[in-house]
Structures are given as structure tokens and as C-alpha cells.
Amino acid sequence: MIKATNIHKYFAGIHAVKGVDLTVRDGEVLCVIGPSGSGKSTLLRCLNMLEKPDEGTVEVDGVAVSEENIREMRTRMAMVFQNFNLFSHMTALENITVAPVHVKGMSKEEAAEKGLDLLRLVGLEDKADAYPRQLSGGQKQRVAIARALAMDPEILLFDEPTSALDPEMVGEVLDVMKELAEKGMTMVVVTHEMGFAREVADDIIFMADGQIVESGAPSVIFEHPQHERTRAFIEKVL
């Protein structure tokens, strides 16, 4: 579903991502873990060209992502951000329906019906008319997930979706993500939630210093890491 080849990204002379290759199969959950500053979020943003790689290619379902088709590709690959990025002047339902109406040309009535279904999916049907300021952090992130799903994406990208949440709100967001995984949604998740990665991921990538140090199944990464850098990280976070 996604194939990234030799991805490099520089920021003001800093080599943030160094020749990364990755493949995500249809229906797979890939978790990207590693210390802060290791290039995880930058790599994720390169996949949908929020950050344009300085070198390398990204393919979605066999088609290379380019300036010409980026708009279409982004409808197939939705992103959930660390800090929600909801429109503060719109209700939860309006946040969900704005893209289907203005990007996909869906009628407001159809979009509203779909939006309510998605709010029901994330357990927030009763918050349709609430504004972001009236929602908890966990509720905002669940609305953000519903908003991403409103475009019927084939792939969901999550950029540390729980790192801005109070600890007691993390579980409600992870539960929604687990449900999506069980339904077969293709997901790439940059996360510090090791329990989630261990339970839900099909494959895990461990990054450090802009490179993939080690990759494999959760049982391998968490129980039998091969690289010293991976072992040191796992010992600290578990």
C-alpha cells in the first residue's frame, strides 16, 4: 500500500531522515518508535508530502506521489496530528463535514449523516454540536480521527496522537485506534505508547538519528532486540 524508498530530509543543514526505506502492506499496522528527535514524525510527514523529501520516492498502491497527483493522494492517506488541529470556530460535526463537502463535493445533508455515523463510531454522537473548547483533549482527538475517516481514506497516518493528552484520556483514543486496526484499516503510527505498539502493530520500526536501526514483529523488537541501541531504548521505556 505504501512503499518509501531512500527517503532523505534536511532542515537547515541537519540531516533529519537518512535514506529510509519502508513498506506498509494493505491492512497492516506499522508502528514507528524511537527517542525524541530521531526523525519519526518527519518521516511520517514525508509519506504524504507535508514535508517534501529532498531525495527518494513514495509510492501509494504502486503510484509515485508527485506534485501533479498530491491532492488525490492526500484524499487516500489521511493524517491525525498530535495537537488535534480542529477548527475552533466549528462544531465537532462541522469539523468532520467540511472536507467531504468542499473537497469531495458531497451534499451537506449526506455529509452530516456520515459525520454523525463517524461520531457514533468514536463514541461522541452526543457531542455533535459542541465546539472544541467544550471538549476534553481525548474527545478532541477522537473528533480528529472521525474527521480523518470522513474522507474514506485507505491509509491513516498518526503522528503521536496521544502525546498531548492527559494520561487518563490516552486510553479512550487508543481504544478507537485498536477498533480501526481490527477492522483492517492500514495505519502508520508514530507513538510513545509501547503497550499499544506491542498489542496492535503487525510490524515495528525503531528509529534513531534519522535512520531505521531495527525492524520486525513486536515479539522480536520487545523481547529479542538485535541491536544494542534498540535494547537500550526498550529497557528505558518498559
Side-chain angles (χ1 to χ4, degrees), residues 180-221:
L180 292 173
E182 288 168 3
K183 289 181 177 180
M185 174 63 74
T186 305
M187 297 160 59
V188 183
V189 185
V190 172
T191 185
H192 290 293
E193 298 295 334
M194 296 301 123
F196 173 86
R198 193 170 197 163
E199 178 184 351
V200 180
D202 296 294
D203 279 305
I204 292 178
I205 283 173
F206 171 69
M207 287 187 71
D209 302 321
Q211 297 174 299
I212 294 176
V213 175
E214 189 168 347
S215 63
S219 58
V220 173
I221 296 298

Side-chain angles (χ1 to χ4, degrees), residues 148-202:
L149 290 170
M151 293 297 286
D152 294 319
E154 298 163 40
I155 303 158
L156 276 181
L157 307 178
F158 290 87
D159 187 8
E160 300 193 20
T162 59
S163 63
L165 301 179
D166 292 332
E168 67 270 20
M169 295 175 184
V170 169
E172 64 191 57
V173 173
L174 294 182
D175 285 345
V176 171
M177 294 171 64
K178 288 175 187 176
E179 186 175 344
L180 292 173
E182 288 168 3
K183 289 181 177 180
M185 174 63 74
T186 305
M187 297 160 59
V188 183
V189 185
V190 172
T191 185
H192 290 293
E193 298 295 334
M194 296 301 123
F196 173 86
R198 193 170 197 163
E199 178 184 351
V200 180
D202 296 294

Side-chain angles (χ1 to χ4, degrees), residues 33-35 194 198 204-208 212-215 218-238:
I33 65 172
M194 296 301 123
R198 193 170 197 163
I204 292 178
I205 283 173
F206 171 69
M207 287 187 71
I212 294 176
V213 175
E214 189 168 347
S215 63
S219 58
V220 173
I221 296 298
F222 286 107
E223 295 166 28
H224 306 289
Q226 301 299 302
H227 197 282
E228 178 57 40
R229 190 77 187 268
T230 315
R231 285 196 291 272
F233 177 80
I234 296 299
E235 286 173 5
K236 284 182 180 178
V237 298
L238 290 185

Side-chain angles (χ1 to χ4, degrees), residues 58-119:
V58 177
E59 296 177 17
V60 177
D61 208 12
V63 178
V65 180
S66 65
E67 295 287 345
E68 289 71 32
N69 64 15
I70 185 59
R71 185 180 173 91
E72 177 200 347
M73 289 301 180
R74 282 183 181 150
T75 67
R76 301 176 64 183
M77 192 167 26
M79 189 159 185
V80 178
F81 298 89
Q82 179 177 339
N83 291 311
F84 328 127
N85 289 4
L86 298 178
F87 296 114
S88 61
H89 64 291
M90 293 183 179
T91 65
L93 183 59
E94 288 168 343
N95 265 282
I96 294 167
T97 59
V98 62
V101 169
H102 291 283
V103 177
K104 283 199 162 185
M106 191 179 290
S107 71
K108 289 185 177 181
E109 294 75 19
E110 187 182 358
E113 184 178 342
K114 181 172 187 173
L116 288 172
D117 286 341
L118 290 169
L119 282 172

